Amino acid sequence: MTITVLVPHDDGVTALSEVPGVRAVRYDVDSLAEGVPAEAAEAEVLVPGAKPAALLPLLDAMPRLRLIQLLSAGAEDWIDRVPDGVLLSTCRGAHGGSTAEWVLAVLLSLYRGLPEFARAQRERTWSPSTSRTLQGSRVLVVGAGDVGREVRRRLVPFDAWVTMVGFTPREGVHGAEELPELLPDADVVVLVTPLTSRTRGMVDAAFLAAMSDGAVLVNASRGPVVDTDALLAELTAGRLSAALDVTDPEPLPPDHPLWTAPNVLITPHVGGAVRDARRRSYRVAAAEIERYVRGELPNNLVQGEY
């Protein structure tokens, strides 16, 4: 028996061509309004190439759909949109390393004062100064999944002290209920949690107030995890610094006060945007689809909110 899988990229067709029992069919997201592939009627697996709203014509034409295999680690766009009886699997494991690199990059940039030195270079000003170091810094990583583990793995060689926090406490991982006690001792708080009902707005005024003076907040998760107004207040007061790859709202409007707030470094949701990212995603997706073809559950199956 051959299972038909609809994919939005040529890379997906190539990756799935090596999976026994799979027939990969390419579809074009931009052409769905004009019609869907005839193979949609028999396809059991969909790899989305856009958000659910843009794929409604395709979803409506897939009566045999049994698995939605994402190319992203985040599933918040799909959790409430998956048809009954359909499995949802993420691409956990594809983007952890590159996102962790972004965390290290922005931390080193802020700690070693690179934005200020870049400004001095543009002004042709020789302005030596003393900076901070990651050596001995206490880093609290909130989110103990793939990205969190990759962040820890990269921080340890810099001689940073890393404490992990997850929603399920276990050996080496503190529970989220311990955050009020852990936050005051952290020099850096790195957010790598998924966006769920429990994490939306988690970093509010009370959370930020519990952070120590001069601490750095790094958000590599999703914008709505952080209360933007509360963060703006702390940045404007000069008490905290931040590095943000995600914001709320996103994209950040040109007139938003975050752009001009002091002590903040902003990048446009590019933590996982590296060369070969799509092929890396399809390697994970192909392995998940192969498990499904063998009659097994995907490793990255989403149950509940995560």
Side-chain angles (χ1 to χ4, degrees):
M1 183 178 73
T2 299
I3 290 177
T4 300
V5 180
L6 299 187
V7 297
H9 309 109
D10 290 336
D11 286 336
V13 175
T14 300
L16 290 170
S17 67
E18 301 178 6
V19 179
V22 165
R23 175 194 181 201
V25 175
R26 172 85 150 81
Y27 70 91
D28 185 354
V29 173
D30 296 329
S31 300
L32 292 179
E34 302 166 12
V36 301
E39 295 86 350
E42 65 190 58
E44 290 187 35
V45 182
L46 171 66
V47 178
K51 293 189 176 183
L55 296 180
L56 284 178
L58 194 57
L59 291 166
D60 290 342
M62 298 181 70
R64 299 184 61 187
L65 179 63
R66 295 296 178 267
L67 170 66
I68 295 175
Q69 174 59 54
L70 303 180
L71 296 176
S72 63
E76 66 275 3
D77 291 332
W78 284 91
I79 286 174
D80 295 327
R81 307 292 295 272
V82 177
D84 291 340
V86 175
L87 302 175
L88 176 66
S89 176
T90 72
C91 211
R92 185 182 66 224
H95 309 293
S98 53
T99 302
E101 284 181 355
W102 177 87
V103 171
L104 263 293
V106 295
L107 270 178
L108 287 169
S109 180
L110 288 174
Y111 259 49
R112 299 311 302 265
L114 298 189
E116 290 75 17
F117 288 128
R119 190 177 305 113
Q121 179 181 349
R122 290 193 298 271
E123 297 171 356
R124 303 183 184 188
T125 301
W126 190 267
S127 55
S129 63
T130 301
S131 65
R132 292 180 288 179
T133 174
L134 282 177
Q135 298 174 82
S137 292
R138 298 159 298 179
V139 182
L140 191 64
V141 178
V142 184
D146 173 57
V147 181
R149 291 190 296 271
E150 292 293 335
V151 169
R152 176 178 59 188
R153 189 164 72 87
R154 285 161 173 76
L155 280 170
V156 169
F158 284 85
D159 296 326
W161 296 94
V162 182
T163 301
M164 304 293 291
V165 177
F167 282 97
T168 303
R170 50 198 182 274
E171 184 177 356
V173 179
H174 294 264
E177 66 277 1
E178 299 179 64
L179 277 170
E181 291 75 40
L182 295 170
L183 286 169
D185 292 328
D187 300 305
V188 178
V189 177
V190 179
L191 305 174
V192 286
T193 65
L195 178 62
T196 69
S197 61
R198 293 184 295 178
T199 62
R200 185 179 292 274
M202 176 181 70
V203 182
D204 56 11
F207 183 109
L208 296 169
M211 292 174 60
S212 62
D213 292 350
V216 179
L217 179 75
V218 179
N219 191 2
S221 57
R222 291 293 186 265
V225 171
V226 177
D227 182 322
T228 301
D229 290 339
L231 177 60
L232 265 171
E234 293 284 8
L235 294 173
T236 303
R239 201 181 70 81
L240 300 178
S241 299
L244 310 174
D245 189 43
V246 290
T247 59
D248 184 24
E250 186 178 309
L252 199 61
D255 59 348
H256 198 282
L258 258 182
W259 286 117
T260 54
N263 310 311
V264 63
L265 175 60
I266 300 172
T267 60
H269 205 152
V270 294
V274 297
R275 294 179 182 178
D276 206 35
R278 181 180 293 169
R279 292 183 183 179
R280 192 177 297 111
S281 296
Y282 271 113
R283 283 196 290 271
V284 174
E288 292 288 85
I289 292 169
E290 185 170 5
R291 292 185 186 95
Y292 170 80
V293 172
R294 294 199 304 257
E296 303 171 10
L297 290 175
N299 283 346
N300 295 343
L301 187 66
V302 176
Q303 302 187 56
E305 287 192 283
Y306 274 96

